[in-house]
Structure formats: C-alpha cells, structure tokens
Amino acid sequence: MVSDNIKLTPQNAPHRALYHALGLTEEEIARPLVGVVSSYNEIVPGHMNIDKIVDAVKLGVAMAGGTPIVFPAIAVCDGIAMGHVGMKYSLVTRDLIADSTEAMALAHGFDALVMVPNCDKNVPGLLMAAARLNLPTVFVSGGPMLAGHVDGQKTSFSSISEAVGAYNAGKISEEKLREYECKTCPSCGSCSGMYTANSMNCLTEVLGMGLRGNGTIPAVYSARVELAKHAGMAVMEMLKKDIRPRDIMSREAFLNALTVDMALGCSTNSMLHLPAIAHECGIDIDLDIANAMSEKTPNLCHLAPAGRTYVEDLDEAGGVYAIMHELNKKGLLHTQCVTVTGKTVGENIASTPNLNPEVIRPIENPYSQTGGIAVLKGNLAPEGSVVKRSAVAEEMLVHEGPARVFECEEDAQAAINAGKINPGDVVVIRYEGPKGGPGMREMLNPTSAIMGMGLGNSVALITDGRFSGATRGACVGHISPEAASGGPIGVVQEGDPIRIDIPSNSITLNIPQEELDARMAGFTPKQKELSGYLRRYAALVSSGAKGAVLN
C-alpha cells in the first residue's frame, strides 16, 4: 500500500506522531488510508447535502476495513455565477480542482480515494484527478434535485431562466415570475434537468467510475445514502483487487460515454469535459469522433430542457443502465470494459430493463436515428463547434440569417432585453472563449431570454463561449478557433449572412472567400487586461475544440 511508505518503519515515527495528533488509533493507522474528497459547501445547492453523503461513505469504508480521512474540493454554482464576472471562474475551477486534489492525495500518501462531487466542473475536475493519480477510486455524487411544480407542470432551472425572458417581454406578471422563483428549485441537489452536472454524473456511471444510480438517484432519497455506503465498501474491494482508474477509463469506455451521451441528450459541456478527462488518461478524443458516434446512435431521451421529463423520471425508468441496456440491443457498447463494481459493463447491465418507454424510448422507436449532440464545421468554425441537436426545434435545424454582432455577453443581453433582436437574426457573441473570456462563460441568460420572449423558433445564437446544459434552441457554442486566437468569428460584421445546417454538420459565413481572406489578413484580436488566476489561465488554456485543457 502507498501509505506503508510513511507509516511502517521506525523512521516513520514522526508521521505516526501526526496521525496520533489526529486522534487515530494504532488500529486505524494500520489499515489502508482512504481519502474522501468532499466538495461540501454552503453556497452550492448541489453540495449542501454532501456532508451526509460523506458521512455515509466514511461508514462504508470503515465497515469494509479501511480508515476514511476527509479533505475538501471547491465547487462553483454555475447558476449563481451566471451572467456576471463570476462565470469567468466556473470552467477554470476544473483545473484547480484536479490540481489541488492531486496535491492533497500525493502529499498525504492515500491508498485509495472516494470522490464526492456534484456540480458542473466539480465532477470532471475530480475525474481528471482520478486519472492522474491512478489510485483505486470510486465516485458517488450528491445527486440530482427534485423537479419543481408550477401550474401543475414540472419545472427546472431552465424554467426560471426562461421566465425572466417572458417577464421582460410582458408575457407573464411579476407575481408569476416570483412563483417560478420560489417553486422551481424545491430541494438540494444538482438542478433537475439533463444539465451539465447530471450529464457528467450519468456519464461517470457509463465510464465505469460510479455505481449504478450515481447519476440519477435524487439527492433527498435515502437510497442516495445507501449508495454512498456501498461506494465506501466498493473502493476497498477495488484496493484488494488492484483495480485502478486507468484500467477502467479505457478508450472503449470513453466511446461508451460518447454513445450514451448521444442517446441521453447530454449537455454540450460534455464535449469539453470528456476530451479533457481522456487527455489525463493519455487518450485522444477529438470532436470529429462525436459526429461518427452520433451517426449510429439513436436519441432515446428528451429530458429537460429538451422535453418535459426530469432526472427523477429517468431514475424511476431504470436509470443510466436501462439506457445502456437498450443501446446494447444493437451492439452499440463495448461491454467488456471493467468497472468499479469489479464486473464488466455487460455484466452490470444484463438485467436492467427499461421500465418506462415514455421516458426512455425503446431503441426501435427513438426520437431520432442520430444522437443528441452535433459538431458543426465550416469557414466560421474550422476546428469545430457544438450544438445540442436534440433541443433544437425542427424548423431551426437549418437556418440562415443576418449576423447581430456583440463583443461580450453583457452587450448581447442588453440588446435582447431592449427588443433589438428580430426574428431571423443570428446573434453572434465573441471574445467569450477559453482564452478570450477568459474562462469560456456560459450564455444561459441570453439564450433563455430569447426563448422566453418567444423567439426560440426564429433566432439562432452562436458564440466562442459555451452554453449551460439548461440552454435549448439553435445555439451553437465552442466556435473554434475563438476570436481571441484569431478565429474567423472575430471578423464577422453586422448583417453578414450566416447559415447553420445541423443535419449537414455545417456552419458557414456566407461571404465571398476573397472577402473573408482580406478580413483575416487584416485582423488583430483584441486583448484584455488581466490579472491573477485568469491571467495565468488565459496564457495556458487550449482551444475549446481540444477540451480547453491547460498546456
């Protein structure tokens, strides 16, 4: 065991003295030391219950013969950070989380880890750390929030975001807006739609790094506490069998994750995080793979914001394993991959039927024959861009309109709120990429305003930033190269015709090539005055097309 290096010999007496200072007994010191990485805090609703989950994990570890020791990980609530400078600090925390967890785990000689994340960048950050450290590791999240209820309909965070747009357009009263505010997010947990947090927690199951139900058992259910105890027990079994993250997160496991991503209709942010996690495993996952996976993977779920079902409904329908069971009917998964259960994917999903064909469509009757995410390329995005195809209205799958150009999110938001965006427009928001933002802010407020004002079936939005999983509509993000790196989005002018063709996976600035060449030749990207962590991040971050990893 790793910890034996710092606790067995007479020369390790100083280390043992500090263990005794923690109140550890000789018996506890002799056992494997299991780090429990807790992202508990009192500002993120998805994390306020994690103290209970951590206590259950500790009990499970102890029951199985280990000594659990807790240390922290940070987390940003994307909803609270949305629409102001705080959103610049969301994506960047993914690397802070990975770096700090690596430092804590190696500095203290842990033998194994249980990761307890929940929200957007917290999950991929800890998966990146797990890949780097390659210690036996199990994930158990804080779980999803229950859906809210307004006027007899289930609601989620996207509902309140779009309600603001409806209020600004005079479609609902201030009293109705207040009702949405008070009823949309009724419990702790990660927001209840198939947004980024729930997408990544579900995909953690698919990768094989979390037990069944990790992505779907609601935060407030007692079954979540039971799951946490089993996670603590499972990591001890992994330690005995020497099963490690890089044994689990193989190239085939990432292909499985992309396949389920397409079937489930996950957040477009998965196209940032899966390549970044794979990168830590020494595996190259590029955007081109996404379209190849989408071509052969039917879309089986329309969870909010794409539809009116929620993660609690997915859990009752059989959860992630039931989706995998459907996909495996057509041999779309690599079933030989090992998982934290000690069993293969095939063994895990063998007896997990679909319990509700209204929530999980049978593979014979999908929403579409192609997957929920598409990567678009063209002269406007030579390296690629990403759209959640399953959340786009049929009439907007192909759209051409005049560019309405904005240099930042705030300017675009002001124009939308002032009623200056017209049906048919293509809103362009640039200098919001990984380097240019910096931090690649999510554009949930502008997209929600467009939907709430009733323009979702006639207005598109493109950006070198990204979108919340709560975004729906013809919203194309991750335009790469970004404006700050000299990408063509930086030379788009007001009124330029832009064509988005999602079925053809293309996005085009419809101006003569010689005109585009001339603009690019004379283009100098704008520079921002930066300080602190954002300055270092902007200097090191790669393209969104490469997962925005740090070089």
Side-chain angles (χ1 to χ4, degrees), residues 30 46 69 160 165 175 189 194 226 230 276 325 404 412 464 540-541:
I69 302 174
I160 179 60
E175 289 74 20
M194 191 44 63
E226 294 180 31
H230 284 128
H325 186 83
R404 304 297 307 281
D464 52 10
L540 297 173
V541 71

Side-chain angles (χ1 to χ4, degrees), residues 262 289-298 369-374 389:
M262 296 299 168
I289 294 177
N291 281 343
M293 303 303 294
S294 180
E295 292 268 327
K296 62 180 182 180
T297 307
Q369 293 295 337
T370 53
I373 288 177
R389 171 166 44 193

Side-chain angles (χ1 to χ4, degrees), residues 439-473:
M440 205 176 187
R441 288 196 288 181
E442 291 183 344
M443 303 290 125
L444 176 59
N445 286 353
T447 59
S448 296
I450 287 169
M451 296 302 297
M453 290 178 169
L455 295 172
N457 292 345
S458 60
V459 170
L461 190 151
I462 71 171
T463 180
D464 52 10
R466 59 194 177 92
F467 296 113
S468 164
T471 290
R472 62 189 177 104

Side-chain angles (χ1 to χ4, degrees), residues 375-459:
V375 172
L376 314 184
K377 287 189 173 183
N379 66 353
L380 191 50
E383 292 179 0
S385 60
V386 181
V387 63
K388 189 169 183 173
R389 171 166 44 193
S390 59
V392 179
E394 185 74 25
E395 58 268 34
M396 290 297 289
L397 289 172
V398 178
H399 177 78
E400 184 166 348
R404 304 297 307 281
V405 182
F406 303 95
E407 306 299 306
C408 64
E409 177 190 1
E410 289 83 356
D411 291 351
Q413 186 70 48
I416 296 167
N417 290 346
K420 295 180 179 179
I421 302 302
N422 305 308
D425 286 348
V426 178
V427 176
V428 179
I429 306 177
R430 61 192 179 197
Y431 291 102
E432 291 288 7
K435 187 181 297 292
M440 205 176 187
R441 288 196 288 181
E442 291 183 344
M443 303 290 125
L444 176 59
N445 286 353
T447 59
S448 296
I450 287 169
M451 296 302 297
M453 290 178 169
L455 295 172
N457 292 345
S458 60
V459 170

Side-chain angles (χ1 to χ4, degrees), residues 44-49 77 118-119 141-148 155-157 183-193 195 197-198 201 215-221 224 310-313:
V44 184
H47 292 236
M48 62 182 287
N49 66 316
C77 176
N118 209 26
C119 289
S141 75
M145 185 183 291
L146 294 176
T155 60
S156 61
F157 188 71
K183 294 182 176 179
T184 290
C185 298
S187 74
C188 62
S190 49
C191 295
S192 57
Y195 310 146
N198 293 327
N201 280 321
T216 59
I217 297 173
V220 296
Y221 283 13
R224 172 67 50 182
Y310 296 80
V311 181
E312 63 195 60
D313 302 315

Side-chain angles (χ1 to χ4, degrees), residues 45-167:
H47 292 236
M48 62 182 287
N49 66 316
I50 280 178
D51 55 342
K52 310 296 188 300
I53 305 302
V54 166
D55 286 345
V57 168
K58 290 172 65 179
L59 185 56
V61 169
M63 289 166 64
T67 298
I69 302 174
V70 178
F71 66 87
I74 64 169
V76 165
C77 176
D78 279 24
I80 294 174
M82 195 72 66
H84 60 97
V85 68
M87 182 45 70
K88 294 179 184 288
Y89 287 90
S90 172
L91 179 60
V92 305
T93 64
R94 187 184 70 182
D95 296 276
L96 285 174
I97 291 162
D99 293 347
S100 59
T101 303
E102 174 191 354
M104 286 292 289
L106 292 180
H108 299 103
F110 287 107
D111 298 303
L113 299 167
V114 179
M115 305 292 197
V116 191
N118 209 26
C119 289
D120 296 28
K121 312 310 166 298
N122 194 240
V123 183
L126 289 179
L127 282 165
M128 290 164 67
R132 284 186 203 172
L133 292 161
N134 205 33
L135 297 168
T137 303
V138 174
F139 277 67
V140 56
S141 75
M145 185 183 291
L146 294 176
H149 291 84
V150 175
D151 297 332
Q153 298 290 325
K154 287 185 176 181
T155 60
S156 61
F157 188 71
S158 55
S159 306
I160 179 60
S161 299
E162 292 179 15
V164 173
Y167 170 73

Side-chain angles (χ1 to χ4, degrees), residues 497-514:
I498 292 175
R499 181 177 175 81
I500 299 166
D501 189 336
I502 296 173
S504 297
N505 299 317
S506 67
I507 182 167
T508 308
L509 178 62
N510 271 339
I511 62 173
Q513 184 62 45
E514 55 270 24

Side-chain angles (χ1 to χ4, degrees), residues 166-321:
Y167 170 73
N168 289 337
K171 295 189 172 187
I172 63 172
S173 67
E174 187 173 352
E175 289 74 20
K176 178 57 72 174
L177 179 62
R178 173 70 173 166
E179 183 181 358
Y180 273 99
E181 176 186 332
C182 294
K183 294 182 176 179
T184 290
C185 298
S187 74
C188 62
S190 49
C191 295
S192 57
M194 191 44 63
Y195 310 146
T196 305
N198 293 327
S199 294
M200 293 310 302
N201 280 321
C202 287
L203 294 181
T204 298
E205 284 191 56
V206 184
L207 284 170
M209 292 296 293
L211 299 175
R212 182 183 181 185
N214 178 63
T216 59
I217 297 173
V220 296
Y221 283 13
S222 297
R224 172 67 50 182
V225 176
E226 294 180 31
L227 181 73
K229 292 174 185 175
H230 284 128
M233 297 177 202
V235 81
M236 296 304 296
E237 281 298 308
M238 291 180 68
L239 185 59
K240 290 175 187 175
K241 296 176 181 177
D242 195 29
I243 300 173
R244 298 170 182 263
R246 285 184 225 156
D247 300 326
I248 294 170
M249 291 192 285
S250 63
R251 182 174 181 80
E252 289 75 21
F254 282 102
L255 295 178
N256 283 346
L258 283 166
T259 299
V260 176
D261 189 331
M262 296 299 168
L264 189 50
C266 290
S267 163
T268 52
N269 281 314
S270 63
M271 293 294 101
L272 277 178
H273 300 321
L274 288 175
I277 299 161
H279 176 76
E280 297 290 350
C281 295
I283 298 168
D284 182 33
I285 298 290
D286 60 34
L287 290 183
D288 290 332
I289 294 177
N291 281 343
M293 303 303 294
S294 180
E295 292 268 327
K296 62 180 182 180
T297 307
N299 179 229
L300 304 182
C301 296
H302 269 189
L303 280 77
R308 292 196 170 274
T309 52
Y310 296 80
V311 181
E312 63 195 60
D313 302 315
L314 177 60
D315 187 63
E316 292 175 5
V320 174
Y321 278 19

